[in-house]
Amino acid sequence: MSFKKRRVKLEDIARKLNISIATVSRALDKNPRVKRSTQEKVFITAKEMGYMPNQIAKSLSSGKTHIIGVLIPRYDEPFFIEVCRGIDQYARNHNYKILISSSRNSYEFEKENLISFERGLVDGIILSPTHETENVAHLKDLIGKGMPMVLFDNIREEVSGADHVMIDDEKASFQAVEFLIQKGKRKIAFIGGIKQKKVFQDRFKGYIAALDRHNIIYDERLVLHCNSLDREFEDKEILSFFKNLKINPDAVFTCTDNYGLLTMKTLLKTGKKIPQEVAVIGFGDLGLGEVFVPTLTCVSQPSFEMGQKAAELLIKQLNEPEDSIHKKTIVKLNTQLIEREST
Amino acid sequence: MSFKKRRVKLEDIARKLNISIATVSRALDKNPRVKRSTQEKVFITAKEMGYMPNQIAKSLSSGKTHIIGVLIPRYDEPFFIEVCRGIDQYARNHNYKILISSSRNSYEFEKENLISFERGLVDGIILSPTHETENVAHLKDLIGKGMPMVLFDNIREEVSGADHVMIDDEKASFQAVEFLIQKGKRKIAFIGGIKQKKVFQDRFKGYIAALDRHNIIYDERLVLHCNSLDREFEDKEILSFFKNLKINPDAVFTCTDNYGLLTMKTLLKTGKKIPQEVAVIGFGDLGLGEVFVPTLTCVSQPSFEMGQKAAELLIKQLNEPEDSIHKKTIVKLNTQLIEREST
DNA sequence: CTGTTAGCGCTTTCAA
DNA sequence: TTGAAAGCGCTAACAG
């Protein structure tokens, strides 16, 4: 590329002003040890010449890239995009950029991506483990090498040295199910996601706990753990679940917005009245619930805030003195039940 | 960070094997001029010592970062995310990473982001101009400096030196509206987006052209150009449009999926039968149309493919010889009308 | 086939 | 307040 070639560099400014490169560097840094008049001259000349610092050279020299690596299981999940937005906002305000990668729901790709992050391009990592990630040795390994890390969402096991940002999934789901019970519902179905995911396990626990608390007998026929990792198949899985269902539930608690919408769709097709005959609750609250008719009651998960918080914690780590031992912070954000027409 | 400090580098391997750094570098590069046995030794030792190349140093030295900068107007628009997925897939397969930034619908932020891309972190740029971007001087300027660039989606003005990836918005919308007419619809409403966006202008043209062709008189009362840049307000704008509408349309052609869904929602609330009384068409086809009841007929825009194509064109530019003058490629991808229950 | 050496553009001691 | 010079880790031209 001719791009790099003809670029103005510190040396050019220095030569033009008959001063040293070091002084130019300091001046542009607004280092107070540079004479005011020199600084001004440098700024003016830099501007005139169209100087643009070379980020790569800066990074090599300083050892900091000011880039945060973000690793999420998939792009086509609004939750993760929201988290990324949160990270991005906080990061940008603190002069960091983010580099997003997807592990495509695969433990292998997760490791692969981390290796590429290890090549010095990022100053730290924010990561949501895939459902396949049973073992966190690769994370511990990287942390051991000094890589700052913050985990969010699907944390199966605490990882010392990394900060964690999560919600209380069990509690959130407990409250949602209890809410249904208080509305007089008794035959409450549960639609969760892949069993391997900690978040879905916890939401299931909350469901069970709420039933227990109110002396409702658990009926496993009312439970579906969706196995699909793909939008297309979720649809079919839920459809066939309801088709084969022998009992008529009077409410359905679902673990994502999409499950909630698909459930409503399926129920409406079979002529059910929502919420009179069947109430439905979703989880996430990422905007779609408001568009549907009827609108979907949701557990609202603070996705954007999770991102912001994760970025905040990571940047805090990045500013810790080099040799200090990081003590883990665990942040649990609050969820909220947003009542709409489906309950 | 202690991270950078204790890292194994070429020098360490070289010293251990009593060979030069250059040889180690070549060996790891699989340079055929290195003796087979040496290469093997180097690989083994590198692995043993846990060597991890420093991407930054490589970039500084080689002048290539293997990072593509992607600039989109907003994150919370599934279309852009799909395009990014497409870019990411193609880029990854060709050993590039992508760095996504949002211009947050602002011309100023667009310029700001480009400046930061100009600092040498990216080898090239894929960009969708904001609706505010009336002037493309900043793009031409950067291209003039040798920055490879591909534009997609909202291209108001051809920019020489950059490749373009788009769809034929006018034709797509013409076909959709004609389809409604052929279904016997005559009072077809139009819901578009901000007027400043080229894509919406073109979709409006297609609407007009289809009416013209079929001798239907244009009635401006049936037209809404949504001004909202925010999901929240789109809702209200569409609601109030229909509330104040004096005529009853028998069909609505809308310029995004979301407008289509909001339209259906509004119509359903007022007791309309879809599609018997009013047919609705959306634009984009990013998955939601299938969930709604009734499902939404859509103009399907090949978002993922747009991303792939954009990445392909950019990477092609990156591989062109340094001094060659790039001749612009314009790619127009095909759309397709997906018929569902709303028509 | 391998080593030497000069950068890449910037930061940062150390000296003046 | 400024300059000289070393160095960040790697690549690549040149020499052998």
Side-chain angles (χ1 to χ4, degrees), chain B residues 23 69 71 92 181 248 274 298 302 325:
Chain B
T23 301
L71 190 51
R92 188 181 32 233
I181 296 172
N248 280 324
I274 297 174
C298 281
I325 290 170

Side-chain angles (χ1 to χ4, degrees), chain B residues 249-261:
Chain B
D250 52 17
V252 186
F253 170 68
T254 72
C255 283
T256 73
D257 280 356
N258 205 42
Y259 295 158
L261 295 177

Side-chain angles (χ1 to χ4, degrees), chain B residues 3-240:
Chain B
F3 190 57
K4 322 269 167 180
K5 283 191 177 168
R6 55 166 92 114
R7 287 180 68 165
V8 178
K9 47 192 184 180
L10 291 187
E11 196 190 337
D12 301 317
I13 301 177
R15 193 163 28 217
K16 184 148 194 170
L17 292 175
N18 261 313
I19 55 181
S20 73
I21 297 180
T23 301
V24 178
S25 173
R26 289 192 200 101
L28 291 173
D29 251 19
K30 301 209 172 136
N31 185 321
R33 295 187 335 188
V34 172
K35 209 203 307 175
R36 180 136 211 104
S37 64
T38 313
Q39 207 207 72
E40 283 167 6
K41 267 193 304 185
V42 170
F43 266 89
I44 292 170
T45 313
K47 179 139 200 189
E48 275 174 12
M49 302 179 74
Y51 172 73
M52 202 56 84
N54 180 325
Q55 193 55 51
I56 299 293
K58 276 183 122 132
S59 296
L60 181 60
S61 184
S62 68
K64 308 253 157 267
T65 62
H66 271 254
I67 298 179
I68 293 173
V70 178
L71 190 51
I72 54 176
R74 52 195 273 197
Y75 290 121
D76 54 349
E77 180 76 76
F79 167 68
F80 292 120
I81 299 299
E82 266 307 282
V83 174
C84 287
R85 280 186 58 218
I87 297 173
D88 186 64
Q89 200 215 44
Y90 191 92
R92 188 181 32 233
N93 288 339
H94 293 260
N95 198 23
Y96 279 85
K97 299 198 161 309
I98 68 176
L99 189 70
I100 308 170
S101 275
S102 160
S103 47
R104 285 162 285 160
N105 282 313
S106 146
Y107 173 57
E108 283 310 316
F109 286 136
E110 181 174 297
K111 286 199 289 188
E112 200 179 299
N113 272 292
L114 285 181
I115 287 176
S116 109
F117 278 158
E118 201 182 334
R119 290 160 120 85
L121 192 58
V122 303
D123 288 344
I125 294 173
I126 295 176
L127 179 147
S128 170
T130 73
H131 68 284
E132 290 186 3
T133 309
E134 300 183 7
N135 184 307
V136 292
H138 57 310
L139 304 182
K140 289 185 175 161
D141 181 52
L142 202 47
I143 294 169
K145 290 180 180 167
M147 178 70 86
M149 194 178 298
V150 175
L151 304 180
F152 73 93
D153 188 46
N154 185 47
I155 306 172
R156 180 190 298 241
E157 179 187 331
E158 288 198 7
V159 180
S160 61
D163 296 325
H164 299 190
V165 177
M166 41 223 249
I167 58 167
D168 192 330
D169 284 282
E170 186 172 340
K171 185 170 141 202
S173 119
F174 180 92
Q175 288 171 344
V177 175
E178 187 165 63
F179 169 82
L180 289 171
I181 296 172
Q182 280 157 356
K183 287 249 170 185
K185 308 293 186 179
R186 297 267 125 186
K187 290 191 293 184
I188 303 172
F190 173 91
I191 297 189
I194 14 179
K195 272 188 185 164
Q196 296 98 308
K197 266 210 153 174
K198 182 71 161 58
V199 291
F200 293 129
Q201 290 165 9
D202 287 350
R203 290 173 202 177
F204 184 57
K205 280 189 201 158
Y207 164 74
I208 298 288
L211 296 185
D212 261 15
R213 167 78 67 87
H214 295 271
N215 302 312
I216 298 177
I217 292 160
Y218 167 63
D219 184 341
E220 71 169 354
R221 291 171 300 176
L222 285 170
V223 170
L224 168 67
H225 296 284
C226 258
N227 269 310
S228 308
L229 289 170
D230 216 302
R231 282 273 145 106
E232 277 184 68
F233 298 113
E234 288 178 350
D235 201 345
K236 289 175 189 148
E237 220 176 326
I238 288 177
L239 198 71
S240 90

Side-chain angles (χ1 to χ4, degrees), chain A residues 189-191 224 234-235 238-239 241-242 249 251-270 272 274 278-281 292 296, chain B residues 291 293:
Chain A
F190 173 90
I191 297 189
L224 169 66
E234 287 178 350
D235 200 344
I238 288 177
L239 198 71
F241 170 73
F242 281 106
V252 186
F253 169 69
T254 72
C255 284
T256 73
D257 279 358
N258 204 42
Y259 295 158
L261 295 176
L262 290 172
T263 297
M264 291 212 290
K265 173 182 168 178
T266 307
L267 293 173
L268 289 175
K269 289 232 163 179
T270 58
K272 298 284 184 201
I274 297 175
V278 193
V280 181
I281 294 188
F292 211 87
L296 179 65
Chain B
V291 177
V293 182

